[in-house]
Amino acid sequence: FCASVYTIVSRRLRAKYEALTLTTIQFTFATLFFLPFTVHEWLNGIAPRFSPEILIAVLFLTLFATLFAFFLYNYALGAMEASKAAAFINLIPLVTVLVAWAYLGERLSGFQVLGGLTILGGVTLATVRSQGKRAVESTQIHFEPAKTRFLT
């Protein structure tokens, strides 16, 4: 439900704003939303331990898996139907895992591979089905009955 609302609202906002502006607005609000929770944890002694590896991982997740992914999604909302763009948002976790494997040396588990294949299958089915449906609809001829007035 929340993803549907997010897509509908983002689609409407995308009609008013460029993708980069919309992404900036979204992440500003997200930061403001989560900031009190972060401050609360830090004030109660639950502060993360920052090491170079952790900072690189957080930077990677922030830039690529989050900002760049949602920028592309917002861009897609202006270039294609919302239903099609929504199917592609499912690729975000797959791309995240693959880039973490390729660049950070993370190991892939069998479940991650199975999950990735499931995501690819779902996105493929959603896009092929919508393309096929549109092709059939475009070749159909629609006849409307003539409007006549009968004397009563």
Side-chain angles (χ1 to χ4, degrees), residues 97 100-102 104-110 112:
V97 168
W101 168 74
L104 301 176
E106 295 286 329
R107 297 187 73 202
L108 292 179
S109 71
Q112 289 170 317

Side-chain angles (χ1 to χ4, degrees), residues 16-87:
K16 295 179 183 179
Y17 301 105
E18 291 295 322
L20 184 58
T21 304
L22 180 57
T23 306
T24 303
I25 292 168
Q26 290 171 332
F27 278 85
T28 300
F29 278 103
T31 301
L32 293 174
F33 178 82
F34 285 109
L35 190 59
F37 298 105
T38 303
V39 170
H40 175 73
E41 286 186 356
W42 288 3
L43 291 176
N44 289 305
I46 309 172
R49 296 180 191 162
F50 292 108
S51 67
E53 292 83 14
I54 290 174
L55 288 175
I56 289 171
V58 169
L59 186 64
F60 166 78
L61 288 171
T62 301
L63 292 178
F64 296 106
T66 308
L67 286 173
F68 187 64
F70 281 94
F71 167 75
L72 289 177
Y73 181 65
N74 287 328
Y75 180 81
L77 282 173
M80 63 179 62
E81 300 168 13
S83 60
K84 188 177 278 191

